[in-house]
Amino acid sequence: MAQQEDVFKKLVAHCKEYGFVFPSSEIYDGLGAVYDYGQNGVELKNNIKKYWWDSMVLLHENVVGIDAAIFMHPTTWKASGHVDAFNDPLIDNKDSKKRYRADVLIEDLLAKYDDKIEKEVEKAAKRFGESFDAALYRQTNPRVQEHQAKRDEIHARFVKALNDSDLAELKQIIVDYEVVCPISGTKNWTDVRQFNLMFSTEMGSTADGAMKIYLRPETAQGIFVNYLNVQKTGRMKIPFGIAQIGKAFRNEIVARQFIFRMREFEQMEMQFFVRPGTEMEWFKKWKETRLKWHKALGLGDHKYRFHDHDKLAHYANAATDIEFEMPFGFKEVEGIHSRTDFDLSSHEKYSGKSIKYFDPELNESYTPYVIETSIGVDRTFLSIMAASYTEEQLENGESRVVLKLPAVLAPIKLAVMPLVKKDGLPEKAREIMNSLKFDFKCQYDEKDSIGKRYRRQDAIGTPFCVTVDHDSLTDNTVTIRYRDTMQQERVPVEKLHEIIAQKVSMKELFKKIVE
Ligand code: ATP
């Protein structure tokens, strides 16, 4: 674990050093849980967004996009339930004065029991070798059973407390299982309280006329309030979906994990409207499609898993998360929820406008049910950076830090480098770059030794480096160096476009999603 934390620290430092992510307003010492994306970060982020957007609106003829405003009529948030129920249970440690989410402390406690069980199983696997039957061991080993029983007991109490919104019981679990504050190491806890996560501000200039409005805590409501507009103007037939990418804001209680939990972040959400009664079928389908989207990136299939919710939100009848193995454990990057007709019905009630769909096949009107896929851009960014960050020991005794980003997402697709800064090589390099820059984000670099230049590109994940030398002037060939293998190949200049295009095209990823 300590080693993993170390890797995470290095990753955060790397993000800053190489222009991916900076603390917000850093010259004023930053602002809690708010971050800015730098010159490389913004390219990676835009590529992630394009990958998601096109996977929705290109691959599905019945999914269209919108871009709704961040400010919405305040009644929206009354109707959605956020004013009354968008709360987290918080608890303070009186000694360290640190604030925690009570539910997260208990989830961490459960994860500790899972870890203990896994360690027992791993130890036994080593001891017994090939003949080891892990499933049998889990069922029969007394120590594993003891941990499992404890875990089940805590889990049952936790689920019940969440469902009953029983804050006293949440605290009692923390007390009974002697959860300590990681900072002070003490068990000196306050009571658990509810805390609303929405930011508010005022719209309008006069004190009398000013209206309290909220910064949206999710982008989904912008889709629901536009459901009729899009359905009518786009002549959409159920089933169909509306996709949106945009900023969301939450006054998170605990925000100590870099861009994993931010107060201003970005979501990519798609609401898929279906006939009531068919929602479970669509829920299953979107779960599969979304997992394929993640896996197509090639970061390692074993790094993903589904996690079904212990407590369903007030609007949902099924919900699961796609979790990714971050340096600090498996964590949610995407939520897939079956939201029933909760949102549309509620907006219908609060607005007094009919939000029904006339289904010509059934010859009847109904309020559509909704399947939502909701993924955080920033968490996806973090998962990709974490999986790509590699420290390598090279054969010649040197080491390198390389970001093995999926080539399609890399901020810079290729670097063009003249071997030396004279003899017409810079001009030739510029000429090559000028012919490729319409299709690929290129970077020109002529400073320092070629080795140093390669390292700089490795550190930002550039998949190709093209080196121009004296032979290039006569035979019109260059050396292309591949980031991950460091192999070099001599190729004619006119082949460059084809080689690069094939590796950085999203088409190959999309094919994996639809197959
Ligand atoms: P968590 O339980 O971690 O707070 P959530 O279940 O509240 O997350 P959702 O409301 O389902 O999250 O939001 C959908 C997605 O938006 C999440 O899967 C995540 O990727 C992203 N997201 C939510 N909150 C944040 C945040 N504070 N910072 C960054 N991304 C976030």
Side-chain angles (χ1 to χ4, degrees), residues 27-65:
I27 55 168
Y28 296 105
D29 295 332
L31 183 66
V34 187
Y35 290 90
D36 297 341
Y37 286 83
Q39 67 279 13
N40 289 317
V42 69
E43 296 292 339
L44 173 57
K45 199 175 179 216
N46 283 342
N47 292 339
I48 294 170
K49 289 194 270 186
K50 182 165 172 48
Y51 175 44
W52 183 87
W53 186 261
D54 286 355
S55 80
M56 287 293 169
V57 305
L58 287 188
L59 300 192
H60 304 279
E61 57 185 288
N62 58 352
V63 176
V64 293

Side-chain angles (χ1 to χ4, degrees), residues 101 250 252 260-262 265 267 332-333 374 376 379:
R101 264 172 64 176
R250 295 183 189 178
E252 297 281 1
F260 180 79
R261 193 172 296 288
M262 302 156 92
F265 57 101
Q267 290 185 314
E332 168 182 349
V333 280
S374 173
R379 285 191 192 176

Side-chain angles (χ1 to χ4, degrees), residues 373-489:
T373 71
S374 173
I375 171 172
V377 179
D378 313 274
R379 285 191 192 176
T380 308
F381 184 107
L382 182 58
S383 67
I384 292 167
M385 288 296 277
S388 304
Y389 180 87
T390 318
E391 290 173 7
E392 273 182 1
Q393 219 45 54
L394 305 179
E395 276 170 17
N396 64 5
E398 285 178 17
S399 64
R400 69 165 183 162
V401 172
V402 51
L403 276 188
K404 296 191 171 178
L405 295 171
V408 287
L409 300 183
I412 309 290
K413 299 296 188 241
L414 80 151
V416 187
M417 310 169 168
L419 190 61
V420 290
K421 251 192 290 183
K422 54 182 184 183
D423 305 335
L425 300 190
E427 289 75 10
K428 179 73 183 167
R430 287 271 179 209
E431 182 192 310
I432 295 173
M433 179 151 152
N434 283 338
S435 72
L436 294 171
K437 73 178 181 193
F438 301 108
D439 294 311
F440 314 115
K441 174 95 183 130
C442 310
Q443 199 167 75
Y444 177 82
D445 193 2
E446 61 177 20
K447 200 166 177 297
D448 298 321
S449 71
I450 199 78
K452 270 200 184 148
R453 284 182 262 171
Y454 284 158
R455 290 291 171 276
R456 273 204 288 270
Q457 296 300 331
D458 286 345
I460 61 169
T462 307
F464 308 102
C465 287
V466 168
T467 307
V468 176
D469 56 23
H470 290 93
D471 288 343
S472 310
L473 299 179
T474 50
D475 63 7
N476 210 31
T477 65
V478 288
T479 306
I480 184 163
R481 174 209 185 247
Y482 299 98
R483 177 194 67 197
D484 298 347
T485 58
M486 295 190 292
Q487 296 278 312
Q488 303 192 13
E489 199 184 349

